[in-house]
């Protein structure tokens, strides 16, 4: 199950979104901002029903 999650890019400050996989309890990876194309280090935890913790840092 996936959920669209909205957050602010740590580089440009624009609100962007991404799909997070709620079937995985925790993930960490790098994804480029869809606005400024700079790398964002994404980390999140999920309970299977929603996002429990989320961080987006300059990667």
């Amino acid at each position: 199950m996936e959920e669209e999650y909205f957050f602010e890019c740590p580089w440009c400050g624009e609100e962007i979104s991404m799909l997070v996989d709620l079937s995985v309890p925790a993930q960490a990876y790098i994804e480029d901002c869809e606005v400024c194309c700079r790398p964002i280090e994404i980390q999140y935890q999920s309970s299977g029903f929603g996002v429990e913790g989320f961080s987006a840092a300059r990667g």
Side-chain angles (χ1 to χ4, degrees), residues 1-5 17-29 31 42-54:
M1 176 167 40
E2 292 182 328
E3 176 181 300
E4 186 173 21
Y5 191 83
S17 69
M18 64 182 324
L19 290 175
V20 294
D21 185 353
L22 299 178
S23 67
V24 179
Q27 282 202 26
Y29 56 92
E31 186 164 315
I42 304 293
Q43 295 184 12
Y44 72 88
Q45 298 80 40
S46 130
S47 66
F49 299 104
V51 175
E52 296 291 321
F54 186 92

Side-chain angles (χ1 to χ4, degrees), residues 25-41:
Q27 282 202 26
Y29 56 92
I30 303 287
E31 186 164 315
D32 291 340
C33 172
E34 58 193 44
V35 177
C36 70
C37 300
R38 291 182 174 156
I40 305 170
E41 184 179 340

